[in-house]
Amino acid sequence: MQDLLGLRLKDALRLLEARGVTPTVVTAQAPRNPREDGTLRVIRVRGTELTVGAFRDGNPSDE
C-alpha cells in the first residue's frame, strides 16, 4: 500500500475501496503551527492505517 503515499486522501480512499479495504485515518498536525486549510495527503501507511497531513497545493511563489 506504499503506492498511496502522497495521494490526496479522497483518492487514496477511492483506491482502497476498490480493493475492499476500509482504512483508519489519523490526522497529523504540527504542534506549533497547525494548519486548518490545505489538501489532506497520505504521509504514512501502517497496515490499514493512513496518517494524513494538510499541505498547501499550488505554486510556492504565490505565498
Side-chain angles (χ1 to χ4, degrees):
M1 292 206 311
Q2 299 302 316
D3 59 329
L4 303 175
L5 293 174
L7 290 181
R8 293 180 298 174
L9 176 59
K10 66 181 183 178
D11 296 333
L13 291 175
R14 190 176 312 128
L15 285 173
L16 290 174
E17 181 181 329
R19 296 176 190 174
V21 176
T22 304
T24 302
V25 178
V26 177
T27 303
Q29 293 186 14
R32 291 187 185 183
N33 191 14
R35 181 170 287 162
E36 298 290 328
D37 60 344
T39 302
L40 290 178
R41 293 188 174 273
V42 178
I43 58 175
R44 182 174 72 184
V45 178
R46 283 195 177 165
T48 60
E49 180 181 279
L50 303 178
T51 302
V52 297
F55 289 85
R56 283 190 206 152
D57 289 339
N59 188 346
S61 64
D62 292 340
E63 296 179 11

